[in-house]
Amino acid sequence: MPAKIRRFEKTYDPATGGYRGRLRSKPDFGSVEIEVGRLWYAMVMLLRPVRVLETGTYWGYSTSMIAAGLRDLGQDGIVTSIDPAESSHLWEGTALARHVRWICARSQDAAPTLKGTTFDMLVLDSDHHYRTIMEELIAFEPLLKPGGVILMHDTLFFDGVGAAVRQLRENPRFEVVTLDSPRTHGNPGWRSPGVTICRKLKRKGGALRFDESLADLFVGDPKMPALARRGKRAVNTMPASRHSETRAAPQSKG
Ligand SMILES: C[S@@+](CC[C@H](N)C(=O)[O-])C[C@H]1O[C@@H](n2cnc3c(N)ncnc32)[C@H](O)[C@@H]1O
């Protein structure tokens, strides 16, 4: 891994799952946990995608982990990452840069420019409102090849994303698994961000539909079990005692 990425990883604080730039500075929760970054790298190595589409670049930690997998596969793979926020990115000035294409735009605005492109993997981690994640799924899922995988972060903490996961789970075109991730925000009672791995089984047989009644859903009620784990076909449920400890939502970007 390039030294720049290793230096960034050294700022990781396992006690909270955030990154501390300076000693005693408040942790930043914008990037995925190191363990999730490693999982994204492992998923790339396992599934061997050539074209990956990511939404939500931030400082480019997850992008760099995906790019490192693409580099190690030796197939000239590219991760296209979309984010409207100007930032200095971790891959810049490293050997990973040739595997990254960054689009400075909202994912919804970039969608028309990607029409006709196909992807082997989608990694969705931008704004966590139901509206945004569903707009992304409706725009980008048709570009994903059958057999391709959608990786999502924050599917347990943010019910906006959890509602989208529930729709994927209830759709026969997808198989879905949701797992906890290690971030605690310093409060083990809070929901973890969570990751979801969703495999697209086939192209036809049930379009994803936007549910207007959920449009503004974001965190939801943090005292309730994560929405992604509720519903008649809920799987991977956690013990009730864990949920009853849940407290107010932290101010978190991810
Ligand atoms: C949780 S951070 C992404 C973290 C990144 N995946 C990582 O682990 O390093 C969310 C990012 O989504 C971006 N964002 C917000 N709305 C967006 C949109 N509509 N399209 C694309 N990116 C968006 C924000 O600017 C922010 O940088």
Side-chain angles (χ1 to χ4, degrees):
M1 204 56 70
K4 202 173 165 187
I5 316 286
R6 279 190 273 117
R7 276 198 301 277
F8 176 74
E9 288 190 333
K10 281 202 175 125
T11 69
Y12 187 59
D13 171 26
T16 60
Y19 296 82
R20 291 181 193 273
R22 279 167 278 114
L23 212 57
R24 287 197 298 276
S25 68
K26 276 198 186 160
D28 181 273
F29 297 108
S31 311
V32 295
E33 302 99 309
I34 279 194
E35 296 84 352
V36 174
R38 299 278 158 85
L39 177 63
W40 283 184
Y41 172 86
M43 293 300 289
V44 171
M45 296 306 286
L46 181 76
L47 300 171
R48 309 180 69 81
V50 176
R51 280 193 291 264
V52 181
L53 178 67
E54 177 183 56
T55 66
T57 319
Y58 198 51
W59 294 334
Y61 176 59
S62 54
T63 320
S64 299
M65 296 307 283
I66 297 162
L70 294 172
R71 175 202 57 188
D72 292 351
L73 287 173
Q75 302 179 127
D76 290 332
I78 295 282
V79 50
T80 300
S81 189
I82 312 174
D83 196 310
E86 295 272 3
S87 173
S88 113
H89 295 122
L90 286 164
W91 69 76
E92 286 163 16
T94 79
L96 301 180
R98 62 184 286 265
H99 296 280
V100 182
R101 174 186 173 216
W102 180 56
I103 302 179
C104 183
R106 290 166 71 246
S107 53
Q108 302 93 322
D109 300 334
T113 66
L114 295 169
K115 227 172 164 186
T117 317
T118 56
F119 293 94
D120 307 297
M121 181 181 277
L122 306 180
V123 184
L124 306 182
D125 184 24
S126 68
D127 169 274
H128 297 319
H129 285 86
Y130 174 82
R131 179 184 297 283
T132 308
I133 184 71
M134 282 309 293
E135 285 173 351
E136 289 180 350
L137 282 167
I138 289 166
F140 299 132
E141 181 272 323
L143 309 185
L144 181 67
K145 292 179 185 168
V149 161
I150 308 172
L151 305 178
M152 301 160 84
H153 189 238
D154 272 323
T155 51
L156 291 175
F157 192 84
F158 289 87
D159 281 350
V161 190
V165 166
R166 221 159 59 152
Q167 281 181 244
L168 290 167
R169 205 176 58 223
E170 288 167 2
N171 189 313
R173 292 198 299 116
F174 303 97
E175 59 186 12
V176 177
V177 63
T178 296
L179 303 166
D180 284 283
S181 63
R183 179 168 294 158
T184 64
H185 297 93
N187 183 341
W190 279 338
R191 295 174 186 170
S192 85
V195 295
T196 293
I197 301 167
C198 170
R199 182 163 179 271
K200 175 171 170 172
L201 300 173
K202 52 186 177 173
R203 199 179 288 286
K204 294 207 171 116
L208 291 169
R209 299 203 189 287
F210 191 88
D211 181 343
E212 201 56 54
S213 70
L214 300 173
D216 297 323
L217 186 55
F218 189 44
V219 176
D221 180 353
K223 292 186 283 307
M224 293 286 288
L227 189 62
R229 285 178 167 152
R230 279 183 262 156
K232 55 182 188 303
R233 293 181 63 187
V235 287
N236 311 314
T237 45
M238 296 194 310
S241 57
R242 171 80 194 271
H243 294 311
S244 62
E245 292 165 12
T246 307
R247 301 201 225 312
Q251 297 305 304
S252 164
K253 288 184 203 147

